[in-house]
Amino acid sequence: MSIDKHSDWYKDAVFYELHVKAFYDSTNDGIGDFNGLTEKLDYLKDLGVDCIWLLPFYPSPQKDDGYDIADYYNVNPPYGSVKDFQRFIKAAHKRGLRVIADLVLNHTSDQHSWFQEALLSKKSKKRDYYVWSKTDQRYKDARIIFVDTETSNWSWSQNTQEYYWHRFFSHQPDLNFENPRVQKAMQRVMYFWLDLGLDGFRCDAVPYLFEEEGTNCENLPKTHQFLKDLRKKLDNRYPDKVLLAEANQWPEDVRPYFGDGDEFHMAFHFPLMPRLFMSLIKESSKPITEIMSQTPDIPENCQWGLFLRNHDELTLEMVTDEERDYMYKEYAKEPRMRCNVGIRRRLAPLLDNDRDSIELLNSMLFTLPGSPVIYYGDEIGMGDNIYLGDRNGVRTPMQWSIDRNGGFSRCDYSLLYQPVIADPVYGYQSVNVEAQNRTPSSLLNWMKKMIKTRKKYKAFGRGTLEFQKTNNSKILCYFRKYQEEIILIINNLSKTVQAVEVKLDDYRGFRLIELTAENDLPLVEDKPYFFTLPPRGYYWFKLVPVTEEAYETLQEMQTEAEHETEKVTN
Ligand code: GLC
């Protein structure tokens, strides 16, 4: 098997985000590597995902887990070599898996040779690669993103007696995109990795590329211009690739990143994510229906990236103050659980390890419009460690088995890049791939089943979304429709059993078929369809028309069956 070439593959794909260092250590030095990841490709194939998203794996001082890049053209030595990377890509493609990686355009590490050179003197050739100022009073309207660590977007360079600009950590100076040489340099980085076989990029922090006085320095027209040009260059040379934007913005501000289908292929839907969690606390469909109704249509060749958790904090920038308080109160009861404007916890602990809630959120992840992105370890319900600094608590080693270090590495425990989770609830002794593979009812096997089911229907990746009004606001009910496919999804957001009547007037004479087991439910008739859902329950159905004749026969059979039951109960 190998990659099936079709240019909008990303619309039907399931993505899987992972860190090379965290996945599998083949050298037993305590740090995961490309060869280790290659060994685990069959696991990912078996899970059913289509595309792996690699977090930054380039040489870096690792002060921001690799998002502080010191060399764009290499692999961080503990993770292996460029050759290992190529071997990994080949092995992935052989299995029909695609691979994208982070492209960090906005900034470099202060250890990058460009910055080191720029620091030497104001006359340095690389000086203009970064943004300098005599005062720290410029661009005052730009917000600070890492509020836990930074107090200004400017830092002082002692050597050259000027400030340099940075939207993230002070050790991550922003590149100056006004400089055409910077633009070219970053395009070359893109070509380099695509030539080695990469299938695209998750483009980091794209709203911040340019600065302009009197603005908040986000989403500027010049930024879009550069990105459109980048896309053009990609399309000219490489068909079949994907660019996915990290633009943590409101839907109307994300929309321009799709352009007319000529900027990004995909962008994450940041505002939807916290609202999925909100809907569980409030036991209400409103947070979701509201944000989806504010979500503009996107061009035909574009797609949303949906996610529940990722390697960062669960960001609460795209919610109201009231909603943020609500989220903190429910999901970050200890101050340690907070980080910047968000919550640094994994999916399972956020949901108190409640299997029903975990399934429900995944049910919505898999069925709302977009391509789902699963964060490594969440498919087995891994826990976190809030005692590790920054966002490291959600970046612990993957838990493969009950062996030493969770089967991640055979090194001495103290050598691990970070301790493996070992508490009684989420520790590798109880939460690991091997055990879950063996248990038919495990979360892992459930995930496999749902991914497989999702992949049978194009409507999930390509269909329209129509919310269906019901008589119960705790129920989120919607149709996904594409060509002949009519899918009906019903989610119970409540902690208690709920009954709901769904009006299916337009589908009289249709059969309802539950998607995972493919079993039939009674025909749709003139009266509303009545469902009872268990706490945090969900159903996925397809609606299939039956011919007039078949409809009558089915109805007769149904009536007969009803009589039979009556006889038995009498
Ligand atoms: C993105 C990454 C985050 C990183 C930041 C700065 O938001 O997701 O992990 O710290 O960019 O590069």
Side-chain angles (χ1 to χ4, degrees):
M1 182 175 201
S2 64
I3 292 289
D4 162 30
K5 295 238 177 241
H6 64 282
S7 59
D8 60 359
W9 57 270
Y10 50 87
K11 291 192 72 166
D12 309 302
V14 176
F15 288 72
Y16 186 91
E17 175 192 5
L18 66 83
H19 205 315
V20 176
K21 81 166 181 197
F23 214 57
Y24 186 63
D25 173 17
S26 73
T27 54
N28 295 323
D29 64 351
I31 305 170
D33 42 57
F34 272 111
N35 289 339
L37 175 54
T38 307
E39 280 182 49
K40 294 296 185 187
L41 279 172
D42 287 334
Y43 167 74
L44 296 176
K45 183 73 201 161
D46 185 45
L47 177 59
V49 300
D50 305 283
C51 183
I52 302 165
W53 155 25
L54 300 174
L55 287 162
F57 53 79
Y58 319 97
S60 151
Q62 302 292 337
K63 287 190 187 163
D64 185 14
D65 207 12
Y67 278 98
D68 45 334
I69 298 176
D71 174 4
Y72 284 91
Y73 291 100
N74 248 311
V75 168
N76 192 31
Y79 305 162
S81 62
V82 173
K83 275 223 152 62
D84 295 340
F85 168 84
Q86 281 178 287
R87 221 169 321 137
F88 156 70
I89 293 282
K90 235 179 158 175
H93 285 175
K94 214 174 109 199
R95 289 166 175 80
L97 295 167
R98 287 185 163 86
V99 185
I100 63 168
D102 256 282
L103 180 64
V104 185
L105 297 164
N106 181 65
H107 47 267
T108 69
S109 156
D110 59 3
Q111 301 304 306
H112 194 290
S113 60
W114 297 338
F115 193 67
Q116 288 298 310
E117 210 177 310
L119 277 180
L120 290 178
S121 115
K122 283 187 193 161
K123 294 213 175 76
S124 142
K125 270 199 188 148
K126 293 291 187 295
R127 185 71 174 177
D128 204 26
Y129 271 45
Y130 296 90
V131 183
W132 302 93
S133 166
K134 289 190 175 53
T135 133
D136 61 356
Q137 296 304 302
R138 289 169 68 201
Y139 312 138
K140 291 298 274 181
D141 299 330
R143 70 190 161 119
I144 292 165
I145 296 168
F146 286 163
V147 287
D148 284 1
T149 0
E150 303 297 335
T151 50
S152 165
N153 286 325
W154 292 104
S155 282
W156 181 243
S157 149
Q158 194 61 33
N159 206 30
T160 53
Q161 299 284 302
E162 271 187 337
Y163 292 95
Y164 62 89
W165 177 249
H166 56 86
R167 290 308 300 270
F168 295 92
F169 289 121
S170 58
H171 57 72
Q172 282 166 323
D174 272 34
L175 284 164
N176 175 18
F177 275 83
E178 299 282 355
N179 181 348
R181 274 180 302 162
V182 166
Q183 299 198 9
K184 283 224 168 66
M186 297 322 284
Q187 288 155 5
R188 273 198 298 272
V189 170
M190 179 176 87
Y191 299 149
F192 177 79
W193 292 103
L194 293 174
D195 286 340
L196 292 182
L198 210 60
D199 297 295
F201 296 97
R202 177 263 193 190
C203 299
D204 183 61
V206 287
Y208 319 111
L209 303 186
F210 284 82
E211 296 74 39
E212 199 173 298
E213 206 57 73
T215 73
N216 65 358
C217 298
E218 298 184 15
N219 316 319
L220 297 178
K222 280 181 182 175
T223 297
H224 285 293
Q225 199 45 55
F226 168 77
L227 294 167
K228 276 204 164 73
D229 187 49
L230 191 75
R231 168 69 184 269
K232 206 182 256 159
K233 294 204 155 61
L234 176 97
D235 285 350
N236 285 346
R237 290 202 193 189
Y238 312 88
D240 215 29
K241 307 286 179 189
V242 70
L243 294 179
L244 161 59
E246 186 213 21
N248 187 356
Q249 305 281 328
W250 291 100
E252 68 267 23
D253 294 323
V254 179
R255 175 60 188 83
Y257 286 93
F258 293 111
D260 298 321
D262 58 353
E263 207 168 311
F264 281 93
H265 305 79
M266 292 181 67
F268 286 116
H269 201 313
F270 274 93
L272 172 65
M273 180 273 297
R275 285 171 179 81
L276 295 172
F277 288 90
M278 281 285 293
S279 70
L280 295 198
I281 325 173
K282 291 201 162 174
E283 302 198 352
S284 160
S285 55
K286 210 166 155 213
I288 299 169
T289 50
E290 246 173 26
I291 199 69
M292 291 313 289
S293 66
Q294 289 164 26
T295 300
D297 288 339
I298 58 175
E300 184 68 30
N301 60 338
C302 292
Q303 179 67 310
W304 289 106
L306 305 187
F307 64 106
L308 299 173
R309 289 295 297 113
N310 63 17
H311 64 290
D312 286 326
E313 67 277 22
L314 188 167
T315 158
L316 296 175
E317 275 153 326
M318 296 302 129
V319 296
T320 63
D321 291 347
E322 191 204 348
E323 286 169 332
R324 194 172 305 117
D325 290 346
Y326 225 81
M327 287 289 287
Y328 278 140
K329 203 166 135 250
E330 184 67 22
Y331 291 117
K333 295 199 170 94
E334 284 183 45
R336 246 182 210 292
M337 293 170 176
R338 299 183 187 187
C339 176
N340 298 317
V341 188
I343 303 171
R344 49 186 196 144
R345 301 182 74 194
R346 264 192 184 268
L347 183 65
L350 275 166
L351 301 174
D352 294 328
N353 213 13
D354 175 49
R355 173 73 182 264
D356 297 334
S357 304
I358 296 174
E359 285 191 13
L360 176 62
L361 278 192
N362 276 299
S363 159
M364 295 193 277
L365 174 77
F366 288 142
T367 57
L368 283 167
S371 292
V373 185
I374 300 164
Y375 184 49
Y376 86 92
D378 282 349
E379 75 277 22
I380 53 170
M382 255 170 70
D384 51 38
N385 180 351
I386 53 168
Y387 293 90
L388 298 174
D390 199 0
R391 291 147 290 169
N392 295 328
V394 301
R395 300 170 178 178
T396 59
M398 179 69 180
Q399 296 170 197
W400 295 105
S401 66
I402 55 159
D403 295 342
R404 184 194 324 183
N405 304 322
F408 162 74
S409 170
R410 294 206 41 81
C411 71
D412 281 344
Y413 178 75
S414 49
L415 271 179
L416 287 176
Y417 74 88
Q418 266 180 205
V420 62
I421 303 286
D423 65 63
V425 180
Y426 301 101
Y428 64 88
Q429 298 89 340
S430 37
V431 176
N432 66 67
V433 170
E434 188 183 341
Q436 293 203 16
N437 258 333
R438 281 202 206 169
T439 314
S441 61
S442 66
L443 179 60
L444 179 61
N445 279 321
W446 179 85
M447 289 288 281
K448 284 187 209 173
K449 180 176 77 182
M450 298 323 262
I451 293 174
K452 207 164 160 191
T453 306
R454 185 187 193 277
K455 286 170 96 165
K456 287 190 196 151
Y457 303 96
K458 287 236 185 266
F460 291 119
R462 294 167 189 258
T464 53
L465 169 75
E466 281 171 34
F467 286 114
Q468 174 77 15
K469 273 212 175 102
T470 72
N471 63 342
N472 185 340
S473 64
K474 295 182 182 188
I475 300 288
L476 177 73
C477 180
Y478 45 92
F479 282 104
R480 302 296 317 279
K481 293 183 191 168
Y482 181 72
Q483 295 175 351
E484 304 293 291
E485 290 174 15
I486 305 168
I487 308 274
L488 175 68
I489 307 289
I490 311 180
N491 300 296
N492 175 11
L493 302 161
S494 162
K495 277 189 220 144
T496 55
V497 174
Q498 294 293 318
V500 63
E501 281 183 6
V502 183
K503 280 207 177 108
L504 296 175
D505 300 352
D506 296 345
Y507 302 100
R508 190 182 157 272
F510 278 58
R511 288 191 297 154
L512 244 70
I513 299 174
E514 195 280 329
L515 289 193
T516 58
E518 303 246 328
N519 59 324
D520 265 342
L521 267 79
L523 281 182
V524 180
E525 294 180 82
D526 287 334
K527 49 187 190 280
Y529 216 98
F530 184 80
F531 297 95
T532 312
L533 285 99
R536 307 278 205 224
Y538 57 87
Y539 293 134
W540 300 5
F541 297 113
K542 68 179 160 191
L543 282 124
V544 182
V546 288
T547 58
E548 202 57 31
E549 204 184 338
Y551 171 62
E552 274 162 25
T553 326
L554 273 166
Q555 255 192 335
E556 272 166 29
M557 277 163 58
Q558 234 165 270
T559 325
E560 258 172 46
E562 273 162 24
H563 285 156
E564 286 300 315
T565 350
E566 264 168 36
K567 267 192 232 157
V568 174
T569 43
N570 290 339

